[in-house]
Amino acid sequence: MPSVFSLSLLSMTWRSGAWCLLALMAWALLAGCTSTPAPRGEVQPEPMASGELAQSDVNRMATLGMRDNLASLFLLMDKLYRRNPQEWRKGGFSSREAAMDAVRQALEARRSWPDLALADKRDIAALAVALDPAFAGDRVAAFTYGLGDMLITAHGGKTRFYLLDGLDAQALYNAARNIEIAAWMLAQRRDRAGRPLLLADEITAQARNLSFEREFGKMIARVDLLASVTTEKYRRAVVSYVQNFVGGTLLQFLPVQAVTAP
C-alpha cells in the first residue's frame, strides 16, 4: 500500500505535469496567433534589392517610411476623389485614376503642378493655395501634390536613402506638424456658403467615418518616429561601435581542453 508521502509526491508530480501541459498549449496557441495571417491581410516585405547594401538601418527605415507615407497619401487622394468627384473633372482628366497618375508622376519627377505653376507654388505654399476658398482648380490634386511635395522636401528631396544621405530631424519634425495642420484645415475650411471645401471625414447620426483622420495619424506617427531616430543617429553609431568592440573582445568561445605540447 503506497504511503501518504508517495501519494502526495504523485499528486504534486501530476499537477506539475498538468501545468506544464497547459503552459505548452498556451504557448502553441500564442505562437499560432502570431504566425497566422490576420483576416485583413499580412505584412508584405519589400523585395530584396542590391541597393540595400548601401543603406544603413536609418536609411532603410526612412526609405520604408517614405514608401508607406506616399502610399497613405495616394490612398487619401483616392478617398477624396470618391467623395468629391467634381474635382478631377476640373483638371480635364478622363477619370480619377488618370488624375492620380498625373500627380504621382509630377511628384516622382519633382515637377511643379500645372494649377500652381503660374504662381510657382510648391511645398506648404501649394497646400495653402489648395485650401484657399478662392482657388478654382482641382483641390484634391493640388492638396495631394502640396502635401507630397512638402513631405519629400522635408526628406531632402529624396524618396530613397543611402549611406551618404543625411536627414534633418527638425525638418522632419516640422513636416509632421504640417501634416497635422493640413488635416485640420481640410476638416475646417469652408466656402462662402459655409460648405466644406472638400468632403472628408463624416460624423452624422447615420454614419461615422474617420478613415481620413486615421490615415493622417499614421503619416504623422511615421515622420515623428523617423525624426526621433534621426536625432540619435550618431549616438547610436557610437553605441554600436562600443558594443561591437566589447562583444568582439569578451563574447568569444574559449578553449575547453588543454593544448598538449608536441
Side-chain angles (χ1 to χ4, degrees):
M1 181 176 181
S3 65
V4 175
F5 176 77
S6 299
L7 290 175
S8 176
L9 183 61
L10 182 62
S11 177
M12 290 174 61
T13 303
W14 183 87
R15 285 199 298 269
S16 299
W19 278 112
C20 289
L21 180 60
L22 288 173
L24 287 172
M25 291 174 64
W27 178 83
L29 180 62
L30 289 173
C33 290
T34 56
S35 60
T36 303
R40 296 185 179 181
E42 58 184 307
V43 62
Q44 296 294 329
E46 191 173 80
M48 182 70 177
S50 58
E52 293 181 36
L53 297 175
Q55 290 181 323
S56 67
D57 290 344
V58 175
N59 295 150
R60 190 63 185 156
M61 178 181 174
T63 299
L64 295 178
M66 177 61 77
R67 178 202 67 182
D68 292 346
N69 278 332
L70 290 177
S72 290
L73 181 64
F74 283 102
L75 176 60
L76 286 168
M77 187 181 190
D78 183 55
K79 292 164 71 67
L80 283 170
Y81 270 144
R82 289 176 185 275
R83 294 218 65 196
N84 305 272
Q86 75 281 1
E87 295 299 322
W88 59 262
R89 296 187 178 97
K90 292 180 182 179
F93 295 103
S94 59
S95 65
R96 92 173 171 276
E97 291 83 5
M100 291 177 63
D101 285 341
V103 174
R104 183 180 288 107
Q105 291 172 17
L107 286 173
E108 290 177 351
R110 306 291 288 135
R111 297 194 306 263
S112 59
W113 185 242
D115 275 342
L116 307 166
L118 294 177
D120 194 26
K121 302 295 185 183
R122 302 190 68 163
D123 198 350
I124 55 176
L127 272 174
V129 170
L131 295 175
D132 185 342
F135 181 60
D138 182 345
R139 290 189 186 280
V140 174
F143 179 82
T144 306
Y145 173 83
L147 194 58
D149 192 61
M150 181 276 297
L151 194 61
I152 295 173
T153 299
H155 287 72
K158 299 180 179 181
T159 57
R160 302 187 72 86
F161 308 91
Y162 299 95
L163 291 172
L164 297 180
D165 296 326
L167 291 169
D168 186 331
Q170 188 61 49
L172 294 171
Y173 178 86
N174 293 347
R177 305 292 74 76
N178 286 338
I179 298 173
E180 289 178 343
I181 295 169
W184 182 86
M185 291 173 67
L186 180 65
Q188 298 298 322
R189 285 290 173 91
R190 300 287 190 272
D191 62 15
R192 293 180 179 179
R195 296 168 299 195
L197 294 179
L198 289 172
L199 295 175
D201 284 330
E202 180 182 20
I203 301 178
T204 65
Q206 294 77 28
R208 184 179 179 86
N209 175 15
L210 297 177
S211 59
F212 290 85
E213 181 180 334
R214 287 195 296 272
E215 209 61 42
F216 277 119
K218 292 177 184 178
M219 295 175 67
I220 294 166
R222 292 186 194 112
V223 179
D224 267 335
L225 178 59
L226 181 59
S228 297
V229 171
T230 301
T231 61
E232 298 186 0
K233 178 179 179 180
Y234 298 108
R235 183 173 68 192
R236 293 308 307 171
V238 172
V239 171
S240 296
Y241 175 81
V242 173
Q243 289 175 339
N244 291 335
F245 177 79
V246 174
T249 304
L250 300 179
L251 301 180
Q252 296 183 1
F253 290 112
L254 301 176
V256 295
Q257 63 181 9
V259 178
T260 58

